[in-house]
Amino acid sequence: QVQLVESGGGLVQAGGSLRLSCAASGIFSIVAMGWYRQAPGKQRELVARITSGGSTNYADSVKGRFTISRDNAKNTVVYLQMNSLKPEDTAVYYCNAEGRSRRYDSLSDYWGQGTQVTVSS
C-alpha cells in the first residue's frame, strides 16, 4: 500500500520560512515527486516538482522563494523549503508522487493527506 506522509506545515508570519517534508513508502518506482496546494475556493495547483533525474520546475508565483529537493540517500523523501512567505501562499499543501506501486503496474498519481500552511500578514 502506497503512503505519502507529510510534515512541517504550520502558522508563520509574512516573510518567514517553513520546510515541508514528504516520505513515500510502499512504492516500487518513482518517476517524480512534487508539491501541490489548494487554497479555499481555488483549484489545486502545482507548486514544485522534481523528477527522478533531478530536474525541477516551479510555479511562477514561487520561483526564487521556494526550493524543492530530495534526500539523496532516499529517493522517496522530498522537501519543500519555503522562504519569504506571503499571505497568498496560505493553502493546504499536498505531496504527490508519480510512480508504480509494482514493477508492471501503469503509472499512477499518489497523494498525501495534506498539511496546512497559513501565512499571516
Side-chain angles (χ1 to χ4, degrees), residues 39-109:
K42 294 188 177 181
Q43 289 189 331
R44 189 174 296 189
E45 63 174 358
L46 173 69
V47 176
R49 180 177 179 267
I50 184 167
T51 69
S52 58
S55 298
T56 58
N57 62 291
Y58 296 89
D60 288 342
S61 60
V62 307
K63 283 180 181 176
R65 300 188 298 122
F66 290 12
T67 303
I68 190 169
S69 62
R70 62 183 181 190
D71 188 316
N72 286 330
K74 300 177 182 179
N75 198 34
T76 55
V77 178
V78 66
Y79 307 99
L80 184 68
Q81 179 66 43
M82 304 186 292
N83 299 328
S84 303
L85 282 161
K86 304 176 181 180
E88 51 263 44
D89 294 319
T90 295
V92 178
Y93 284 69
Y94 296 91
C95 180
N96 167 267
E98 302 166 43
R100 295 178 173 84
S101 60
R102 294 176 298 183
R103 181 185 295 271
Y104 299 111
D105 284 353
S106 56
L107 277 176
S108 297
D109 276 310

Side-chain angles (χ1 to χ4, degrees), residues 9-13 18 116-120:
L11 173 64
V12 65
Q13 287 189 330
L18 282 174
Q116 178 70 45
V117 171
T118 303
V119 184
S120 63

